[in-house]
Every structure is written in structure tokens, then in C-alpha cells.
Amino acid sequence: MNFKSLAGAIAIAATLATTAAAHAATVLTWTTANVGVAKVLDFNGFDDDGTVKGLSAEITYKLTSVTNGGKTWTFSYDVDNTSTSPLSGSRISGFGFNVDPNVSSATASGVFTKTASGNVPMIGTREVCITGNNCAGGGGGGVSMGNDGLGAFVLNFSSSKTSLSLSDFYVRYQSIYGPGEYGGSAVGQPFTKPVAGVPEPATWAMMLIGFFAIGSAVRNSRRKLALA
């Protein structure tokens, strides 16, 4: 295999690895024994044109009680708008997820006071949207850049449950300002932050290409010496 072929194969492998990581399903599960357990997700940000640089969020979901014979599950939430430069402003207008098993109703309090279900731009429908308006966002309020918002949401079921899972998480951004951004909107989905000291797939690809190039140069050098 020549250098160009190997480089192409490595680049394709890196792309597939990155894509798989980006779209890996995120599912958070709690049981009735997990009251007091908090779980944290980091979110990216993107619109119809792709990733919005600097747009990010972090949400903590904590199961605080299971009551009514296992029919009522209460969670606290902490929505942190972690967006940074080059953005100068952004606002989180809501977040949401799907629930397994399906809920019969939901309520919310705190910085977000409404619950809904329906379509989220660019990513499809969600069973539970916790917002100040609807699943698509809109309105005012929410969590501005550099701040966090606290509250709670309650999931009600028609029968007793001993466990539940949340999945298909999203966060809705609006009032985005920065290079090329003039008050627009975007959405975010969970992603895994790279572990310090562990290269990302694309970095591994470049390292392998570099090692191959060095090896080729050494072999060519030896051949020339042998011929001489």
C-alpha cells in the first residue's frame, strides 16, 4: 500500500470513528434505589450550517424522590450555559429528552416553568420538553451565557415503576451572537469531552500518517545508501 492509499484509509477510519462517537446513543438510567444520584451531560451546539464554535452547555439531572407508590419521579436540574469565545452571547431556552417507559404527564418549576412535547428543530420530536414556551423555544427568559438555572421536573406514570431511562437529550439555544451569528438559534446534543492526554481519532490518524512518512523516509534513505 502506498502513502496516499494508507493516508486515505486512515482518514476514512478517523472520520468513521469520530462520527460513531458523535452519534453514540446516550441513555441515563435510575432505579428506585438511586434517589440522590446525579448524572451530568455536556452538550455541543449546531445549526443548519454545522457546528457553532463556542456554543456549549452542561446539564445535571438528579433524582430527588420517588413517591406515590413509584408513579411519581421527581428530578432537580441544573442547566449551565458554558458557551465561550468567540461568542459574545447565547441563551438556553429549554431542554428535553425521551422517557422509557412513556410518561402520562410531566410538570416543571424553576427557571423553566412549562413542559411540552413535540418537534425540536433539526433533531425531531421529543416526549418531554422543559421550557419557557415550547419544544422549539421562542419567548424570552432562560439561561444566559455564563450563568446557570436551577429547578425541578416531575415525571408521572400511570402505574408503579421501579426504574426509568432518559434518552435522546437535547438543549435549545437562542439569541446567539458572535462571528457570523446575529441573534440566531441552534440545538445541542450530548457529546463526550476528550480525556486529557488521550488524542482524538483525527489526532491518532495524523500521528499514524506521520509515523508512516518517517518510516518511508528511513527506508528510502537505507536503499540509497545500499545502492551507493
Side-chain angles (χ1 to χ4, degrees), residues 6 15 24 90 101 124 136 143 184:
L6 179 62
T15 300
S90 71
V143 184

Side-chain angles (χ1 to χ4, degrees), residues 77 93-97 108 112-116 128-132 152-153 170:
Y77 64 79
S93 59
F95 66 98
F97 41 78
F112 300 108
T113 59
K114 295 182 179 179
T115 59
V128 177
C129 304
I130 299 170
T131 176
F153 60 87
Y170 85 93

Side-chain angles (χ1 to χ4, degrees), residues 32-100:
T32 52
N34 297 146
V35 173
V37 174
K39 302 186 180 186
V40 182
L41 291 180
D42 294 296
F43 292 81
N44 58 18
F46 59 92
D47 57 20
D48 289 327
D49 296 322
T51 300
V52 179
K53 189 174 181 180
L55 196 59
S56 65
E58 181 182 274
I59 302 181
T60 302
Y61 312 80
K62 181 179 180 180
L63 177 62
T64 58
S65 69
V66 180
T67 57
N68 193 23
K71 296 181 180 179
T72 302
W73 294 60
T74 303
F75 290 78
S76 66
Y77 64 79
D78 183 353
V79 178
D80 190 0
N81 188 336
T82 57
S83 300
T84 59
S85 176
L87 298 181
S88 58
S90 71
R91 174 174 58 89
I92 295 175
S93 59
F95 66 98
F97 41 78
N98 286 329
V99 186
D100 184 19

Side-chain angles (χ1 to χ4, degrees), residues 125-224:
T125 60
R126 290 297 182 269
E127 185 179 3
V128 177
C129 304
I130 299 170
T131 176
N133 191 20
N134 56 48
C135 292
V143 184
S144 59
M145 182 171 168
N147 294 293
D148 65 342
L150 305 175
F153 60 87
V154 179
L155 304 178
N156 298 303
F157 300 89
S158 58
S159 61
S160 178
K161 307 300 176 185
T162 58
S163 67
L164 63 77
S165 296
L166 306 184
S167 62
D168 301 310
F169 297 89
Y170 85 93
V171 63
R172 180 67 166 156
Y173 303 97
Q174 295 185 270
S175 306
I176 304 169
Y177 293 93
E181 301 290 340
Y182 309 97
S185 59
V187 293
Q189 293 180 293
F191 78 102
T192 302
K193 289 183 177 179
V195 178
V198 179
E200 295 185 26
T203 303
W204 276 115
M206 294 305 297
M207 290 172 63
L208 289 172
I209 291 172
F211 292 149
F212 179 81
I214 293 171
S216 297
V218 171
R219 286 193 296 272
N220 289 335
S221 178
R222 286 175 177 171
R223 290 195 192 98
K224 290 179 180 178

